[in-house]
Amino acid sequence: MVRCGQKIKNMSTENKAFMLEAIRLSVANVEEGKGGPFGAVVVKDGKIIARGANEVTSSNDPTAHAEVVAIRNACIALNSFQLEGCEIYTSCEPCPMCLGAIYWARPAKLYYANSKEDAAKIQFDDQFIYEEIAKPVKERKLFTRQMFREEALEAFKKWSESTLKKEY
């Protein structure tokens, strides 16, 4: 395990500074009582273009994880729905929701500090979500039922035929 201050082979000074900023955000977030101990930055062309810290409890938004907040801010800064050519540095290994958001945003690289096992030790355990996602829908703990599929397919049909769509 690499500790803060230890040398990491093949990591530039910039990489280190970006990760340390994500960690700084996570620590400050706890000290300020704004949310969970998580921070993230989005980098493009060697510069931080967006920051995010966990805002779940301060905004009453369960999706306001540090990575999601940083992605939203970066997309605003870039005026784009994708983070092409960007790197994300986050103070902790992303949860399933954040990892999904990161994949959808399509950055070039992802770096993280704390592991999901470290997070589980302080009661941020996402293992049950990983396990639930792997189960067939009928076996999941959350009651789930498909309804009105045929009616809903209309939107997909219109999307397939649309000349106004912006592909992603």
Side-chain angles (χ1 to χ4, degrees):
M1 181 155 111
V2 177
R3 304 227 184 266
C4 192
Q6 285 182 317
K7 289 186 178 184
I8 301 173
K9 291 181 180 179
N10 301 324
M11 184 172 276
S12 72
T13 303
E14 283 180 340
N15 290 109
K16 293 174 189 175
F18 301 144
M19 182 56 78
L20 290 174
E21 176 61 7
I23 293 167
R24 185 197 69 75
L25 289 168
S26 70
V27 172
N29 209 47
V30 173
E31 292 174 345
E32 296 166 12
K34 293 183 177 177
F38 306 99
V41 297
V42 178
V43 173
K44 176 128 180 148
D45 299 326
K47 295 179 184 167
I48 294 175
I49 62 164
R51 290 171 169 79
N54 181 286
E55 300 175 1
V56 170
T57 57
S58 60
S59 67
N60 293 321
D61 179 353
T63 68
H65 290 200
E67 299 91 335
V68 172
V69 172
I71 288 168
R72 290 173 181 163
N73 291 337
C75 288
I76 290 167
L78 294 173
N79 193 31
S80 175
F81 57 85
Q82 293 186 339
L83 300 179
E84 186 177 329
C86 292
E87 299 174 349
I88 296 178
Y89 294 79
T90 183
S91 65
C92 188
E93 186 174 357
C95 74
M97 176 186 70
C98 292
L99 190 57
I102 290 165
Y103 271 96
W104 279 114
R106 295 178 174 90
K109 296 178 181 178
L110 168 66
Y111 300 92
Y112 67 90
N114 290 318
S115 69
K116 62 183 179 182
E117 292 81 14
D118 296 327
K121 290 177 185 173
I122 61 163
Q123 309 310 308
F124 288 95
D125 191 353
D126 301 319
Q127 188 58 38
F128 77 97
I129 298 173
Y130 289 105
E131 292 169 5
E132 284 290 298
I133 290 170
K135 293 178 183 177
V137 172
K138 291 181 180 183
E139 293 178 23
R140 294 180 187 164
K141 291 178 184 171
L142 177 64
F143 175 85
T144 306
R145 177 183 292 154
Q146 186 176 24
M147 297 174 57
F148 295 100
R149 178 177 176 265
E150 291 302 318
E151 291 80 356
L153 284 172
E154 180 67 19
F156 285 7
K157 180 179 182 244
K158 288 187 179 294
W159 171 262
S160 295
E161 298 167 353
S162 177
T163 59
L164 304 174
K165 66 184 170 194
K166 191 172 187 181
E167 303 254 356
Y168 58 99

